[in-house]
Amino acid sequence: MTRQVVVLGAGIVGTAVAEQLGRRAGCSVIVVDRRGPDSLPGSTGHAPGFVGILNDEPTLVELARESVEIYRNLQWRGQAGFDQVGALELATSRAGSERLTVRAQAAATVGIPATLIDPADAVALAPRMVDRQGIVAALHLPWDGAARATVITAALAERAEAAGARFLFGQPVTAIELRGDRIVGVQVGNERLPADDVVVACGIWGPAIADLAGIHLPLVPVVHAYVYSSAHSATRRPSPLVRWPEHNVYMRDDGSRYGLGTSDHAPLIADELADRAELSWPGGEFDDAVAAALKLLPAEHRWSPSEHLGGVLAITPDKMPLLGSLGQVNGLWSAEAIWVTHAAGAAKALVAQMFGEPSAITPLDPGRFTGSSPEDLRRRATARYRDLATRPTGR
């Protein structure tokens, strides 16, 4: 008998799930998204693409490793899905230096190359981003890199379609049909799609979709500060990603311009969600946080933002994904709060769990917050926002 699976959401996570399902015999896959086929209005469309493998949670280390392995082998229309340019983590104080030492020891424990280097060597690797006068220690992580989320999503979609998956764009989900405590279908516009399984991979819109099945997803949509420089010469060699964990700041050179993100501002909750995972730039504290972040750069290489992005992302009370069965409803699965860093690995692990195979994603079980009130979960999530940019999950 054919197993009918409906994946809700065609961003990088939902598309990766569809691609993994396409590898399974006897599985019919339909991916539904209200967006058009040529747009990516969710987090995938504006993700900076920072991929940091090292993490305080071992499960996320493995998902990141798996994701990088998949991304390295993807390309679309001549563009690579992943550039393994490495990353630098910089310390500006003794306490920060001690933290980098702990990080290096943790990396060795899990088999990830990481080297404490002299500040002068960090400057040599990223001279336009590292201020020799401002740092006391640096950690080099050569396996980290930059993912092109839109390229990866397009490449995975091609693979999924080649395996028989069908994509329905421009179609809003209006109902999830249950029979008792089991999924039996999804209403999409005027069409009913029979389903043995439904995977919710809708990013910031996930809670509204899960609510159709009577499920509360503990996700909080927050606005995140990210800015771009004007265009620069692309003749320089690729630079590693740079992170300042003490200051909750990260930066990359994507070859044509710089991008800088900071969460060193009070969390701004996006209570009213639009059709895009982006809100108008709020100014005020966001401007202050960006100005402070830019002062971390060498004085001669500081720049003024030419573009401001108030991207909306979903966070959980422990900053980790909601990955696995939504046990209150048989056949309903969550692939939520997953960033580019872990997307492909998470999809592979989820599909393994769906087919009853061993999958070490228990720490990410969506039911781990059962018993807590929505108000408490919201408070805990926003309290963790400030260090979101650099510790420990990556983007």
Side-chain angles (χ1 to χ4, degrees), residues 47-51 83 85-86 129 145-149 226-229 232 239-244 250-261 297 303:
F50 283 67
V51 175
D83 292 330
V85 295
M129 292 187 276
R148 295 184 178 87
Y226 197 84
V227 296
Y228 292 99
S229 73
H232 66 61
S239 295
L241 314 178
V242 178
R243 298 187 283 265
W244 293 263
Y250 59 98
M251 182 175 168
R252 68 169 292 196
D253 180 354
D254 68 6
S256 62
R257 61 179 179 170
Y258 297 109
L260 180 145
L297 306 181
W303 42 270

PDB file of all heavy atoms in Angstrom, residues 47-51 83 85-86 129 145-149 226-229 232 239-244 250-261 297 303:
ATOM      1  N   ALA A  47      17.971  33.890   4.759  1.00  0.00           N
ATOM      2  CA  ALA A  47      18.923  33.312   5.704  1.00  0.00           C
ATOM      3  C   ALA A  47      20.351  33.705   5.331  1.00  0.00           C
ATOM      4  O   ALA A  47      20.764  33.526   4.185  1.00  0.00           O
ATOM      5  CB  ALA A  47      18.792  31.789   5.709  1.00  0.00           C
ATOM      6  N   PRO A  48      21.135  34.225   6.278  1.00  0.00           N
ATOM      7  CA  PRO A  48      22.532  34.564   5.973  1.00  0.00           C
ATOM      8  C   PRO A  48      23.363  33.347   5.590  1.00  0.00           C
ATOM      9  O   PRO A  48      24.383  33.483   4.924  1.00  0.00           O
ATOM     10  CB  PRO A  48      23.033  35.186   7.283  1.00  0.00           C
ATOM     11  CG  PRO A  48      21.804  35.637   7.991  1.00  0.00           C
ATOM     12  CD  PRO A  48      20.742  34.649   7.621  1.00  0.00           C
ATOM     13  N   GLY A  49      22.942  32.153   6.020  1.00  0.00           N
ATOM     14  CA  GLY A  49      23.618  30.934   5.596  1.00  0.00           C
ATOM     15  C   GLY A  49      24.820  30.534   6.426  1.00  0.00           C
ATOM     16  O   GLY A  49      25.622  29.711   6.001  1.00  0.00           O
ATOM     17  N   PHE A  50      24.967  31.098   7.613  1.00  0.00           N
ATOM     18  CA  PHE A  50      26.061  30.698   8.489  1.00  0.00           C
ATOM     19  C   PHE A  50      25.861  29.258   8.926  1.00  0.00           C
ATOM     20  O   PHE A  50      24.806  28.897   9.458  1.00  0.00           O
ATOM     21  CB  PHE A  50      26.095  31.580   9.735  1.00  0.00           C
ATOM     22  CG  PHE A  50      26.678  32.935   9.511  1.00  0.00           C
ATOM     23  CD1 PHE A  50      26.029  33.863   8.717  1.00  0.00           C
ATOM     24  CD2 PHE A  50      27.879  33.299  10.090  1.00  0.00           C
ATOM     25  CE1 PHE A  50      26.557  35.117   8.501  1.00  0.00           C
ATOM     26  CE2 PHE A  50      28.417  34.555   9.888  1.00  0.00           C
ATOM     27  CZ  PHE A  50      27.767  35.472   9.091  1.00  0.00           C
ATOM     28  N   VAL A  51      26.865  28.432   8.730  1.00  0.00           N
ATOM     29  CA  VAL A  51      26.798  27.036   9.155  1.00  0.00           C
ATOM     30  C   VAL A  51      27.953  26.782  10.122  1.00  0.00           C
ATOM     31  O   VAL A  51      29.117  26.730   9.726  1.00  0.00           O
ATOM     32  CB  VAL A  51      26.884  26.070   7.960  1.00  0.00           C
ATOM     33  CG1 VAL A  51      26.938  24.623   8.448  1.00  0.00           C
ATOM     34  CG2 VAL A  51      25.681  26.267   7.039  1.00  0.00           C
ATOM     35  N   ASP A  83      29.961  26.817   0.577  1.00  0.00           N
ATOM     36  CA  ASP A  83      31.366  27.224   0.515  1.00  0.00           C
ATOM     37  C   ASP A  83      31.992  26.970   1.884  1.00  0.00           C
ATOM     38  O   ASP A  83      31.630  27.622   2.871  1.00  0.00           O
ATOM     39  CB  ASP A  83      31.500  28.706   0.169  1.00  0.00           C
ATOM     40  CG  ASP A  83      31.064  29.020  -1.250  1.00  0.00           C
ATOM     41  OD1 ASP A  83      31.209  28.139  -2.114  1.00  0.00           O
ATOM     42  OD2 ASP A  83      30.570  30.139  -1.483  1.00  0.00           O
ATOM     43  N   VAL A  85      34.377  27.872   3.851  1.00  0.00           N
ATOM     44  CA  VAL A  85      35.378  28.919   4.054  1.00  0.00           C
ATOM     45  C   VAL A  85      35.919  28.942   5.472  1.00  0.00           C
ATOM     46  O   VAL A  85      36.874  29.667   5.771  1.00  0.00           O
ATOM     47  CB  VAL A  85      34.793  30.306   3.707  1.00  0.00           C
ATOM     48  CG1 VAL A  85      34.463  30.391   2.219  1.00  0.00           C
ATOM     49  CG2 VAL A  85      33.556  30.607   4.548  1.00  0.00           C
ATOM     50  N   GLY A  86      35.318  28.139   6.376  1.00  0.00           N
ATOM     51  CA  GLY A  86      35.751  28.148   7.758  1.00  0.00           C
ATOM     52  C   GLY A  86      35.153  29.312   8.528  1.00  0.00           C
ATOM     53  O   GLY A  86      34.420  30.150   7.982  1.00  0.00           O
ATOM     54  N   MET A 129      37.822  42.268   8.693  1.00  0.00           N
ATOM     55  CA  MET A 129      36.810  42.030   9.727  1.00  0.00           C
ATOM     56  C   MET A 129      37.391  41.897  11.131  1.00  0.00           C
ATOM     57  O   MET A 129      36.664  42.071  12.113  1.00  0.00           O
ATOM     58  CB  MET A 129      36.009  40.770   9.376  1.00  0.00           C
ATOM     59  CG  MET A 129      35.131  40.939   8.146  1.00  0.00           C
ATOM     60  SD  MET A 129      34.020  39.529   7.850  1.00  0.00           S
ATOM     61  CE  MET A 129      35.114  38.416   6.960  1.00  0.00           C
ATOM     62  N   GLY A 145      31.151  26.987   7.345  1.00  0.00           N
ATOM     63  CA  GLY A 145      31.073  27.604   6.033  1.00  0.00           C
ATOM     64  C   GLY A 145      29.774  28.350   5.814  1.00  0.00           C
ATOM     65  O   GLY A 145      28.979  28.559   6.738  1.00  0.00           O
ATOM     66  N   ALA A 146      29.577  28.733   4.576  1.00  0.00           N
ATOM     67  CA  ALA A 146      28.404  29.518   4.184  1.00  0.00           C
ATOM     68  C   ALA A 146      27.550  28.717   3.215  1.00  0.00           C
ATOM     69  O   ALA A 146      28.029  28.253   2.178  1.00  0.00           O
ATOM     70  CB  ALA A 146      28.849  30.825   3.528  1.00  0.00           C
ATOM     71  N   ALA A 147      26.288  28.551   3.570  1.00  0.00           N
ATOM     72  CA  ALA A 147      25.340  27.842   2.717  1.00  0.00           C
ATOM     73  C   ALA A 147      24.511  28.838   1.914  1.00  0.00           C
ATOM     74  O   ALA A 147      24.114  29.890   2.442  1.00  0.00           O
ATOM     75  CB  ALA A 147      24.422  26.974   3.569  1.00  0.00           C
ATOM     76  N   ARG A 148      24.277  28.506   0.665  1.00  0.00           N
ATOM     77  CA  ARG A 148      23.347  29.290  -0.158  1.00  0.00           C
ATOM     78  C   ARG A 148      21.987  28.601  -0.076  1.00  0.00           C
ATOM     79  O   ARG A 148      21.694  27.656  -0.816  1.00  0.00           O
ATOM     80  CB  ARG A 148      23.842  29.358  -1.594  1.00  0.00           C
ATOM     81  CG  ARG A 148      25.149  30.111  -1.770  1.00  0.00           C
ATOM     82  CD  ARG A 148      25.543  30.221  -3.236  1.00  0.00           C
ATOM     83  NE  ARG A 148      26.771  30.974  -3.402  1.00  0.00           N
ATOM     84  CZ  ARG A 148      28.000  30.452  -3.356  1.00  0.00           C
ATOM     85  NH1 ARG A 148      28.137  29.130  -3.168  1.00  0.00           N
ATOM     86  NH2 ARG A 148      29.065  31.201  -3.504  1.00  0.00           N
ATOM     87  N   ALA A 149      21.168  29.089   0.835  1.00  0.00           N
ATOM     88  CA  ALA A 149      19.914  28.399   1.133  1.00  0.00           C
ATOM     89  C   ALA A 149      19.002  28.300  -0.082  1.00  0.00           C
ATOM     90  O   ALA A 149      18.329  27.277  -0.287  1.00  0.00           O
ATOM     91  CB  ALA A 149      19.193  29.095   2.287  1.00  0.00           C
ATOM     92  N   TYR A 226      19.753  42.410  10.875  1.00  0.00           N
ATOM     93  CA  TYR A 226      20.796  42.033   9.918  1.00  0.00           C
ATOM     94  C   TYR A 226      20.928  43.169   8.914  1.00  0.00           C
ATOM     95  O   TYR A 226      19.923  43.704   8.433  1.00  0.00           O
ATOM     96  CB  TYR A 226      20.436  40.743   9.191  1.00  0.00           C
ATOM     97  CG  TYR A 226      21.607  40.085   8.505  1.00  0.00           C
ATOM     98  CD1 TYR A 226      22.459  39.241   9.204  1.00  0.00           C
ATOM     99  CD2 TYR A 226      21.883  40.331   7.164  1.00  0.00           C
ATOM    100  CE1 TYR A 226      23.553  38.642   8.583  1.00  0.00           C
ATOM    101  CE2 TYR A 226      22.970  39.738   6.529  1.00  0.00           C
ATOM    102  CZ  TYR A 226      23.799  38.891   7.248  1.00  0.00           C
ATOM    103  OH  TYR A 226      24.890  38.312   6.634  1.00  0.00           O
ATOM    104  N   VAL A 227      22.174  43.542   8.600  1.00  0.00           N
ATOM    105  CA  VAL A 227      22.415  44.641   7.672  1.00  0.00           C
ATOM    106  C   VAL A 227      23.457  44.234   6.633  1.00  0.00           C
ATOM    107  O   VAL A 227      24.284  43.340   6.869  1.00  0.00           O
ATOM    108  CB  VAL A 227      22.888  45.927   8.401  1.00  0.00           C
ATOM    109  CG1 VAL A 227      21.799  46.445   9.320  1.00  0.00           C
ATOM    110  CG2 VAL A 227      24.181  45.666   9.188  1.00  0.00           C
ATOM    111  N   TYR A 228      23.399  44.910   5.489  1.00  0.00           N
ATOM    112  CA  TYR A 228      24.342  44.680   4.407  1.00  0.00           C
ATOM    113  C   TYR A 228      25.108  45.965   4.102  1.00  0.00           C
ATOM    114  O   TYR A 228      24.567  47.083   4.225  1.00  0.00           O
ATOM    115  CB  TYR A 228      23.616  44.251   3.130  1.00  0.00           C
ATOM    116  CG  TYR A 228      22.981  42.887   3.198  1.00  0.00           C
ATOM    117  CD1 TYR A 228      21.621  42.754   3.464  1.00  0.00           C
ATOM    118  CD2 TYR A 228      23.740  41.738   2.987  1.00  0.00           C
ATOM    119  CE1 TYR A 228      21.028  41.502   3.511  1.00  0.00           C
ATOM    120  CE2 TYR A 228      23.158  40.483   3.023  1.00  0.00           C
ATOM    121  CZ  TYR A 228      21.798  40.369   3.295  1.00  0.00           C
ATOM    122  OH  TYR A 228      21.221  39.127   3.343  1.00  0.00           O
ATOM    123  N   SER A 229      26.358  45.791   3.657  1.00  0.00           N
ATOM    124  CA  SER A 229      27.130  46.921   3.164  1.00  0.00           C
ATOM    125  C   SER A 229      26.767  47.172   1.702  1.00  0.00           C
ATOM    126  O   SER A 229      26.047  46.385   1.079  1.00  0.00           O
ATOM    127  CB  SER A 229      28.636  46.622   3.274  1.00  0.00           C
ATOM    128  OG  SER A 229      29.021  45.671   2.274  1.00  0.00           O
ATOM    129  N   HIS A 232      31.189  45.711  -2.916  1.00  0.00           N
ATOM    130  CA  HIS A 232      32.622  45.936  -2.930  1.00  0.00           C
ATOM    131  C   HIS A 232      33.260  45.051  -3.997  1.00  0.00           C
ATOM    132  O   HIS A 232      32.603  44.207  -4.614  1.00  0.00           O
ATOM    133  CB  HIS A 232      33.242  45.671  -1.553  1.00  0.00           C
ATOM    134  CG  HIS A 232      33.180  44.234  -1.098  1.00  0.00           C
ATOM    135  ND1 HIS A 232      33.776  43.186  -1.768  1.00  0.00           N
ATOM    136  CD2 HIS A 232      32.587  43.668  -0.018  1.00  0.00           C
ATOM    137  CE1 HIS A 232      33.582  42.059  -1.129  1.00  0.00           C
ATOM    138  NE2 HIS A 232      32.840  42.303  -0.070  1.00  0.00           N
ATOM    139  N   SER A 239      36.859  34.982   2.590  1.00  0.00           N
ATOM    140  CA  SER A 239      37.171  35.129   4.013  1.00  0.00           C
ATOM    141  C   SER A 239      36.335  34.166   4.831  1.00  0.00           C
ATOM    142  O   SER A 239      35.206  33.830   4.458  1.00  0.00           O
ATOM    143  CB  SER A 239      36.873  36.559   4.480  1.00  0.00           C
ATOM    144  OG  SER A 239      37.709  37.488   3.839  1.00  0.00           O
ATOM    145  N   PRO A 240      36.851  33.727   5.970  1.00  0.00           N
ATOM    146  CA  PRO A 240      36.025  32.908   6.861  1.00  0.00           C
ATOM    147  C   PRO A 240      34.894  33.734   7.459  1.00  0.00           C
ATOM    148  O   PRO A 240      34.942  34.977   7.482  1.00  0.00           O
ATOM    149  CB  PRO A 240      37.013  32.460   7.943  1.00  0.00           C
ATOM    150  CG  PRO A 240      38.095  33.474   7.918  1.00  0.00           C
ATOM    151  CD  PRO A 240      38.207  33.932   6.499  1.00  0.00           C
ATOM    152  N   LEU A 241      33.876  33.051   7.922  1.00  0.00           N
ATOM    153  CA  LEU A 241      32.843  33.706   8.711  1.00  0.00           C
ATOM    154  C   LEU A 241      33.479  34.169  10.017  1.00  0.00           C
ATOM    155  O   LEU A 241      34.435  33.561  10.504  1.00  0.00           O
ATOM    156  CB  LEU A 241      31.715  32.725   9.014  1.00  0.00           C
ATOM    157  CG  LEU A 241      31.206  31.868   7.858  1.00  0.00           C
ATOM    158  CD1 LEU A 241      30.127  30.915   8.360  1.00  0.00           C
ATOM    159  CD2 LEU A 241      30.679  32.734   6.740  1.00  0.00           C
ATOM    160  N   VAL A 242      32.955  35.235  10.590  1.00  0.00           N
ATOM    161  CA  VAL A 242      33.508  35.756  11.836  1.00  0.00           C
ATOM    162  C   VAL A 242      32.389  35.919  12.856  1.00  0.00           C
ATOM    163  O   VAL A 242      31.311  36.441  12.540  1.00  0.00           O
ATOM    164  CB  VAL A 242      34.223  37.105  11.616  1.00  0.00           C
ATOM    165  CG1 VAL A 242      34.762  37.649  12.943  1.00  0.00           C
ATOM    166  CG2 VAL A 242      35.372  36.936  10.618  1.00  0.00           C
ATOM    167  N   ARG A 243      32.674  35.455  14.078  1.00  0.00           N
ATOM    168  CA  ARG A 243      31.697  35.581  15.160  1.00  0.00           C
ATOM    169  C   ARG A 243      32.373  36.189  16.382  1.00  0.00           C
ATOM    170  O   ARG A 243      33.517  35.848  16.711  1.00  0.00           O
ATOM    171  CB  ARG A 243      31.103  34.215  15.521  1.00  0.00           C
ATOM    172  CG  ARG A 243      30.336  33.543  14.411  1.00  0.00           C
ATOM    173  CD  ARG A 243      29.641  32.276  14.897  1.00  0.00           C
ATOM    174  NE  ARG A 243      30.531  31.143  15.042  1.00  0.00           N
ATOM    175  CZ  ARG A 243      30.734  30.212  14.110  1.00  0.00           C
ATOM    176  NH1 ARG A 243      30.121  30.298  12.938  1.00  0.00           N
ATOM    177  NH2 ARG A 243      31.553  29.213  14.331  1.00  0.00           N
ATOM    178  N   TRP A 244      31.657  37.070  17.066  1.00  0.00           N
ATOM    179  CA  TRP A 244      32.092  37.650  18.333  1.00  0.00           C
ATOM    180  C   TRP A 244      31.090  37.182  19.399  1.00  0.00           C
ATOM    181  O   TRP A 244      30.113  37.898  19.696  1.00  0.00           O
ATOM    182  CB  TRP A 244      32.090  39.174  18.260  1.00  0.00           C
ATOM    183  CG  TRP A 244      33.099  39.797  17.342  1.00  0.00           C
ATOM    184  CD1 TRP A 244      34.313  40.305  17.672  1.00  0.00           C
ATOM    185  CD2 TRP A 244      32.947  40.052  15.932  1.00  0.00           C
ATOM    186  NE1 TRP A 244      34.941  40.838  16.567  1.00  0.00           N
ATOM    187  CE2 TRP A 244      34.121  40.697  15.486  1.00  0.00           C
ATOM    188  CE3 TRP A 244      31.933  39.780  14.999  1.00  0.00           C
ATOM    189  CZ2 TRP A 244      34.306  41.079  14.156  1.00  0.00           C
ATOM    190  CZ3 TRP A 244      32.126  40.150  13.681  1.00  0.00           C
ATOM    191  CH2 TRP A 244      33.294  40.791  13.265  1.00  0.00           C
ATOM    192  N   TYR A 250      27.785  38.502  14.421  1.00  0.00           N
ATOM    193  CA  TYR A 250      28.429  37.650  13.424  1.00  0.00           C
ATOM    194  C   TYR A 250      28.466  38.394  12.098  1.00  0.00           C
ATOM    195  O   TYR A 250      27.659  39.307  11.846  1.00  0.00           O
ATOM    196  CB  TYR A 250      27.686  36.308  13.280  1.00  0.00           C
ATOM    197  CG  TYR A 250      26.230  36.423  12.877  1.00  0.00           C
ATOM    198  CD1 TYR A 250      25.847  36.258  11.553  1.00  0.00           C
ATOM    199  CD2 TYR A 250      25.239  36.704  13.818  1.00  0.00           C
ATOM    200  CE1 TYR A 250      24.514  36.355  11.171  1.00  0.00           C
ATOM    201  CE2 TYR A 250      23.912  36.810  13.453  1.00  0.00           C
ATOM    202  CZ  TYR A 250      23.553  36.631  12.130  1.00  0.00           C
ATOM    203  OH  TYR A 250      22.234  36.746  11.755  1.00  0.00           O
ATOM    204  N   MET A 251      29.405  37.985  11.230  1.00  0.00           N
ATOM    205  CA  MET A 251      29.592  38.724   9.987  1.00  0.00           C
ATOM    206  C   MET A 251      30.165  37.803   8.919  1.00  0.00           C
ATOM    207  O   MET A 251      30.872  36.840   9.222  1.00  0.00           O
ATOM    208  CB  MET A 251      30.536  39.907  10.222  1.00  0.00           C
ATOM    209  CG  MET A 251      30.770  40.787   9.001  1.00  0.00           C
ATOM    210  SD  MET A 251      31.776  42.241   9.432  1.00  0.00           S
ATOM    211  CE  MET A 251      32.171  42.862   7.803  1.00  0.00           C
ATOM    212  N   ARG A 252      29.851  38.095   7.675  1.00  0.00           N
ATOM    213  CA  ARG A 252      30.417  37.345   6.560  1.00  0.00           C
ATOM    214  C   ARG A 252      30.655  38.276   5.381  1.00  0.00           C
ATOM    215  O   ARG A 252      30.047  39.349   5.272  1.00  0.00           O
ATOM    216  CB  ARG A 252      29.494  36.204   6.128  1.00  0.00           C
ATOM    217  CG  ARG A 252      28.189  36.638   5.490  1.00  0.00           C
ATOM    218  CD  ARG A 252      27.440  35.498   4.845  1.00  0.00           C
ATOM    219  NE  ARG A 252      28.130  34.979   3.671  1.00  0.00           N
ATOM    220  CZ  ARG A 252      27.551  34.192   2.763  1.00  0.00           C
ATOM    221  NH1 ARG A 252      26.299  33.807   2.929  1.00  0.00           N
ATOM    222  NH2 ARG A 252      28.227  33.777   1.717  1.00  0.00           N
ATOM    223  N   ASP A 253      31.568  37.834   4.532  1.00  0.00           N
ATOM    224  CA  ASP A 253      31.800  38.476   3.247  1.00  0.00           C
ATOM    225  C   ASP A 253      31.303  37.495   2.199  1.00  0.00           C
ATOM    226  O   ASP A 253      31.880  36.423   2.019  1.00  0.00           O
ATOM    227  CB  ASP A 253      33.295  38.754   3.065  1.00  0.00           C
ATOM    228  CG  ASP A 253      33.609  39.428   1.733  1.00  0.00           C
ATOM    229  OD1 ASP A 253      32.685  39.585   0.909  1.00  0.00           O
ATOM    230  OD2 ASP A 253      34.783  39.770   1.517  1.00  0.00           O
ATOM    231  N   ASP A 254      30.200  37.823   1.521  1.00  0.00           N
ATOM    232  CA  ASP A 254      29.631  36.861   0.573  1.00  0.00           C
ATOM    233  C   ASP A 254      30.237  36.993  -0.823  1.00  0.00           C
ATOM    234  O   ASP A 254      29.755  36.382  -1.782  1.00  0.00           O
ATOM    235  CB  ASP A 254      28.111  36.973   0.519  1.00  0.00           C
ATOM    236  CG  ASP A 254      27.598  38.271  -0.097  1.00  0.00           C
ATOM    237  OD1 ASP A 254      28.433  39.058  -0.606  1.00  0.00           O
ATOM    238  OD2 ASP A 254      26.386  38.501  -0.068  1.00  0.00           O
ATOM    239  N   GLY A 255      31.307  37.791  -0.923  1.00  0.00           N
ATOM    240  CA  GLY A 255      31.996  37.933  -2.197  1.00  0.00           C
ATOM    241  C   GLY A 255      31.708  39.232  -2.908  1.00  0.00           C
ATOM    242  O   GLY A 255      32.542  39.750  -3.650  1.00  0.00           O
ATOM    243  N   SER A 256      30.507  39.769  -2.663  1.00  0.00           N
ATOM    244  CA  SER A 256      30.153  41.035  -3.316  1.00  0.00           C
ATOM    245  C   SER A 256      29.801  42.126  -2.311  1.00  0.00           C
ATOM    246  O   SER A 256      29.835  43.313  -2.640  1.00  0.00           O
ATOM    247  CB  SER A 256      28.963  40.824  -4.260  1.00  0.00           C
ATOM    248  OG  SER A 256      27.819  40.389  -3.532  1.00  0.00           O
ATOM    249  N   ARG A 257      29.480  41.742  -1.089  1.00  0.00           N
ATOM    250  CA  ARG A 257      29.180  42.712  -0.043  1.00  0.00           C
ATOM    251  C   ARG A 257      29.286  42.009   1.311  1.00  0.00           C
ATOM    252  O   ARG A 257      29.338  40.785   1.398  1.00  0.00           O
ATOM    253  CB  ARG A 257      27.771  43.310  -0.231  1.00  0.00           C
ATOM    254  CG  ARG A 257      26.632  42.300  -0.179  1.00  0.00           C
ATOM    255  CD  ARG A 257      25.292  42.973  -0.342  1.00  0.00           C
ATOM    256  NE  ARG A 257      24.189  42.018  -0.321  1.00  0.00           N
ATOM    257  CZ  ARG A 257      22.904  42.372  -0.262  1.00  0.00           C
ATOM    258  NH1 ARG A 257      22.568  43.642  -0.221  1.00  0.00           N
ATOM    259  NH2 ARG A 257      21.957  41.443  -0.263  1.00  0.00           N
ATOM    260  N   TYR A 258      29.318  42.814   2.356  1.00  0.00           N
ATOM    261  CA  TYR A 258      29.370  42.263   3.703  1.00  0.00           C
ATOM    262  C   TYR A 258      27.955  42.161   4.280  1.00  0.00           C
ATOM    263  O   TYR A 258      27.074  42.965   3.947  1.00  0.00           O
ATOM    264  CB  TYR A 258      30.202  43.156   4.625  1.00  0.00           C
ATOM    265  CG  TYR A 258      31.649  43.282   4.223  1.00  0.00           C
ATOM    266  CD1 TYR A 258      32.132  44.486   3.692  1.00  0.00           C
ATOM    267  CD2 TYR A 258      32.521  42.211   4.360  1.00  0.00           C
ATOM    268  CE1 TYR A 258      33.458  44.606   3.314  1.00  0.00           C
ATOM    269  CE2 TYR A 258      33.849  42.326   3.983  1.00  0.00           C
ATOM    270  CZ  TYR A 258      34.313  43.519   3.455  1.00  0.00           C
ATOM    271  OH  TYR A 258      35.619  43.643   3.072  1.00  0.00           O
ATOM    272  N   GLY A 259      27.765  41.185   5.143  1.00  0.00           N
ATOM    273  CA  GLY A 259      26.531  41.059   5.897  1.00  0.00           C
ATOM    274  C   GLY A 259      26.866  40.914   7.365  1.00  0.00           C
ATOM    275  O   GLY A 259      27.803  40.190   7.736  1.00  0.00           O
ATOM    276  N   LEU A 260      26.123  41.604   8.219  1.00  0.00           N
ATOM    277  CA  LEU A 260      26.379  41.576   9.660  1.00  0.00           C
ATOM    278  C   LEU A 260      25.065  41.425  10.407  1.00  0.00           C
ATOM    279  O   LEU A 260      24.091  42.129  10.117  1.00  0.00           O
ATOM    280  CB  LEU A 260      27.095  42.861  10.091  1.00  0.00           C
ATOM    281  CG  LEU A 260      27.442  43.010  11.574  1.00  0.00           C
ATOM    282  CD1 LEU A 260      28.775  43.760  11.732  1.00  0.00           C
ATOM    283  CD2 LEU A 260      26.343  43.771  12.329  1.00  0.00           C
ATOM    284  N   GLY A 261      25.052  40.509  11.366  1.00  0.00           N
ATOM    285  CA  GLY A 261      23.867  40.290  12.181  1.00  0.00           C
ATOM    286  C   GLY A 261      24.182  40.450  13.653  1.00  0.00           C
ATOM    287  O   GLY A 261      25.303  40.186  14.091  1.00  0.00           O
ATOM    288  N   LEU A 297      34.866  46.178  14.146  1.00  0.00           N
ATOM    289  CA  LEU A 297      35.695  46.054  12.956  1.00  0.00           C
ATOM    290  C   LEU A 297      36.897  46.988  13.032  1.00  0.00           C
ATOM    291  O   LEU A 297      36.878  47.985  13.770  1.00  0.00           O
ATOM    292  CB  LEU A 297      34.874  46.391  11.708  1.00  0.00           C
ATOM    293  CG  LEU A 297      33.570  45.620  11.493  1.00  0.00           C
ATOM    294  CD1 LEU A 297      32.909  46.078  10.204  1.00  0.00           C
ATOM    295  CD2 LEU A 297      33.819  44.128  11.490  1.00  0.00           C
ATOM    296  N   TRP A 303      32.008  50.326   7.828  1.00  0.00           N
ATOM    297  CA  TRP A 303      31.140  50.751   6.738  1.00  0.00           C
ATOM    298  C   TRP A 303      29.757  51.124   7.283  1.00  0.00           C
ATOM    299  O   TRP A 303      29.399  50.779   8.403  1.00  0.00           O
ATOM    300  CB  TRP A 303      31.014  49.651   5.689  1.00  0.00           C
ATOM    301  CG  TRP A 303      30.855  48.243   6.226  1.00  0.00           C
ATOM    302  CD1 TRP A 303      31.854  47.366   6.502  1.00  0.00           C
ATOM    303  CD2 TRP A 303      29.634  47.567   6.563  1.00  0.00           C
ATOM    304  NE1 TRP A 303      31.350  46.176   6.983  1.00  0.00           N
ATOM    305  CE2 TRP A 303      29.977  46.276   7.014  1.00  0.00           C
ATOM    306  CE3 TRP A 303      28.289  47.914   6.499  1.00  0.00           C
ATOM    307  CZ2 TRP A 303      29.028  45.329   7.437  1.00  0.00           C
ATOM    308  CZ3 TRP A 303      27.327  46.980   6.905  1.00  0.00           C
ATOM    309  CH2 TRP A 303      27.715  45.705   7.364  1.00  0.00           C
TER     310      TRP A 303
END
